[in-house]
C-alpha cells in the first residue's frame, strides 16, 4: 500500500489546475491499528490463561479441603463405586453394593500386612520396614510360582504382564486417590491430578488413616467394597477374625477381582499370588 508521505508528484502542465493526489492512509495510522490489535490479542490470551489458572487453583483448593475432612469423616461413596453403578445401570441392571465401614482396629492385622505386602512394599519404609528381606522373599516366591505354572502346563506368563499386576506399581495412596476421586480413563491430566491428590493425602492424613480408608473403599468383587464386606462374602466372618491365609487370599485378588484375579475364573493364579504374599507378610509392620 502506498502512503501519503511517499506519494511523488510528477510534472504536470502549467494549465493543469487543482490537481489533487488520491488520499492514502498514513503509515503511522496503520502501524497504530496493528499495534492495538496485537495488544488486544495478547491481553485476551493473558486473561484466558489467568482464568484457567484461577480455576485450577480453586479446584485444587476445594479438593484439599475435601481431603482434609477425611481426617474425621468417612466418605459416603467413591468414584469407583459410582462408576460401577453407572455401568450396571447402562446394562439395565440394578447396581450392587455390599459395604460396611469398620475402624482399622476391627480389621485383622493379618489383612493389613497382606495388603501392604502385595500392594505397596514402601508404604512404611520410614517406620522400620525391612524392604530388602521382603524383596528377596517376593522374588523367590515369584520364581517358585513360575516353575509351578510351567510344570502344570501353563506356557504363558501365569501372572498378567501389565505392570500393575506384578506388585504395587501404584502406591496405596495413589490407588486411594484414584478410587475416591478419579475416573478410570487414562490421560495426562488424570495422572497429573492423581499425583496432586496423592500429595494432599500424604501431607494431610496419617499412614494409619490412609490405610483405613483404603481398606474400606477398595473393590473386592462385583459390588463388594471394603474389608468387612469381603470377609463376610468370601469367608462368612468379620474382618477382625481373618487368618493369615485368608488375608493373603483377599490381598491376592485386589489388582482385578472381577476378571484377571477373579478366584472363580482363575483359582490357580490367585493361589500362586496368595502364596507369594504369605512369604512377604512376616516382614511387614502395620501403621
Amino acid at each position: 500500500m502506498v502512503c501519503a508521505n511517499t506519494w511523488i508528484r510528477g510534472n504536470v502542465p502549467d494549465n493543469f489546475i487543482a490537481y489533487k493526489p488520491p488520499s492514502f492512509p498514513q503509515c503511522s495510522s496503520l502501524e497504530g491499528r496493528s499495534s492495538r490489535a496485537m495488544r488486544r490479542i495478547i491481553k485476551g490470551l493473558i486473561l484466558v490463561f489467568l482464568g484457567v489458572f484461577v480455576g485450577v487453583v480453586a479446584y485444587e483448593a476445594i479438593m484439599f479441603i475435601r481431603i482434609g475432612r477425611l481426617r474425621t469423616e468417612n466418605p459416603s461413596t467413591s468414584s469407583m463405586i459410582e462408576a460401577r453403578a453407572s455401568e450396571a445401570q447402562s446394562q439395565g441392571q440394578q447396581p450392587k453394593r455390599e459395604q460396611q465401614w469398620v475402624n482399622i482396629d476391627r480389621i485383622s492385622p493379618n489383612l493389613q500386612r497382606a495388603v501392604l505386602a502385595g500392594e505397596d512394599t514402601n508404604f512404611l519404609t520410614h517406620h522400620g520396614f525391612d524392604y530388602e528381606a521382603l524383596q528377596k522373599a517376593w522374588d523367590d516366591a515369584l520364581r517358585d510360582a513360575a516353575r509351578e505354572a510351567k510344570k502344570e502346563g501353563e506356557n504363558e506368563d501365569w501372572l498378567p504382564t501389565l505392570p500393575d499386576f506384578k506388585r504395587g506399581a501404584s502406591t496405596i495412596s495413589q490407588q486411594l486417590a484414584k478410587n475416591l476421586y478419579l475416573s478410570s480413563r487414562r490421560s495426562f491430566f488424570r495422572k497429573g491430578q492423581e499425583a496432586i491428590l496423592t500429595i494432599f493425602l500424604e501431607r494431610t492424613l496419617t499412614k494409619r488413616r490412609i490405610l483405613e480408608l483404603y481398606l474400606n473403599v477398595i473393590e473386592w468383587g462385583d459390588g463388594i467394597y471394603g474389608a468387612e464386606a469381603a470377609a463376610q462374602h468370601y469367608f462368612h466372618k468379620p474382618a477382625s477374625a481373618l487368618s493369615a491365609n485368608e488375608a493373603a487370599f483377599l490381598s491376592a485378588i485386589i489388582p482385578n477381582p472381577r476378571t484377571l484375579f477373579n478366584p472363580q475364573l482363575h483359582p490357580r493364579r490367585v493361589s500362586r499370588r496368595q502364596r507369594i504374599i504369605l512369604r512377604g507378610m512376616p516382614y511387614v509392620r502395620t501403621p
Side-chain angles (χ1 to χ4, degrees):
M1 180 177 288
V2 181
C3 300
N5 57 1
T6 62
W7 174 261
I8 300 176
R9 187 191 301 268
N11 294 325
V12 296
D14 294 339
N15 61 352
F16 191 88
I17 300 172
Y19 172 78
K20 187 177 181 180
S23 177
F24 293 99
Q26 296 292 327
C27 284
S28 58
S29 177
L30 287 175
E31 292 171 357
R33 285 200 293 269
S34 176
S35 178
R36 286 194 296 272
M38 183 60 67
R39 285 198 295 269
R40 283 196 297 270
I41 292 173
I42 294 174
K43 184 178 179 181
L45 290 174
I46 291 175
L47 290 175
V48 169
F49 286 125
L50 184 61
V52 171
F53 176 77
V54 171
V56 169
V57 171
Y59 174 78
E60 300 303 345
I62 292 172
M63 295 306 299
F64 185 77
I65 293 172
R66 290 180 64 185
I67 288 175
R69 291 174 178 169
L70 293 177
R71 284 192 289 252
T72 56
E73 298 178 8
N74 297 327
S76 59
T77 187
S78 71
S79 178
M80 168 69 78
I81 293 173
E82 294 303 316
R84 295 301 189 215
S86 296
E87 289 176 12
Q89 290 171 348
S90 66
Q91 297 170 3
Q93 302 173 356
Q94 183 69 22
K96 301 176 184 178
R97 181 174 176 180
E98 297 177 39
Q99 184 182 30
Q100 181 180 345
W101 198 279
V102 292
N103 187 277
I104 196 169
D105 292 329
R106 294 172 54 195
I107 298 176
S108 169
N110 288 322
L111 183 59
Q112 296 178 44
R113 285 194 293 269
V115 169
L116 293 177
E119 292 299 306
D120 189 356
T121 56
N122 290 315
F123 188 68
L124 290 178
T125 300
H126 56 285
H127 289 287
F129 174 74
D130 192 351
Y131 176 72
E132 291 185 1
L134 177 55
Q135 181 70 52
K136 184 177 184 304
W138 182 275
D139 292 339
D140 290 344
L142 272 179
R143 284 191 291 270
D144 290 346
R147 283 195 295 269
E148 180 183 337
K150 187 175 181 180
K151 186 182 298 183
E152 293 177 355
E154 295 185 21
N155 295 322
E156 75 281 0
D157 186 4
W158 72 272
L159 194 62
T161 55
L162 294 175
D164 286 350
F165 297 135
K166 291 298 184 184
R167 179 186 58 201
S170 294
T171 66
I172 281 177
S173 298
Q174 286 176 289
Q175 292 182 50
L176 180 61
K178 286 186 290 187
N179 283 345
L180 285 178
Y181 303 117
L182 303 175
S183 71
S184 59
R185 288 178 294 182
R186 296 179 182 274
S187 67
F188 177 80
F189 173 79
R190 201 215 70 171
K191 292 300 292 184
Q193 186 61 27
E194 176 188 311
I196 293 172
L197 294 177
T198 299
I199 293 172
F200 287 172
L201 287 168
E202 289 282 348
R203 296 292 179 87
T204 306
L205 308 177
T206 65
K207 292 285 188 180
R208 184 177 175 84
R209 179 58 174 165
I210 291 173
L211 183 59
E212 180 179 67
L213 290 165
Y214 178 84
L215 291 172
N216 276 284
V217 301
I218 59 170
E219 186 179 42
W220 252 305
D222 187 16
I224 304 168
Y225 303 98
E228 185 67 20
Q232 294 289 350
H233 178 83
Y234 290 104
F235 302 111
H236 309 290
K237 61 170 62 175
S240 59
L242 291 170
S243 67
N245 195 58
E246 292 165 342
F249 171 87
L250 290 180
S251 178
I253 67 176
I254 286 175
N256 196 323
R258 301 205 308 169
T259 55
L260 290 172
F261 285 94
N262 184 322
Q264 294 182 332
L265 299 177
H266 305 288
R268 290 188 298 181
R269 177 182 292 168
V270 171
S271 179
R272 292 187 193 109
R273 192 166 191 269
Q274 177 185 11
R275 291 195 292 273
I276 292 171
I277 291 169
L278 275 169
R279 289 197 184 188
M281 286 172 59
Y283 306 100
V284 179
R285 295 182 183 179
T286 58

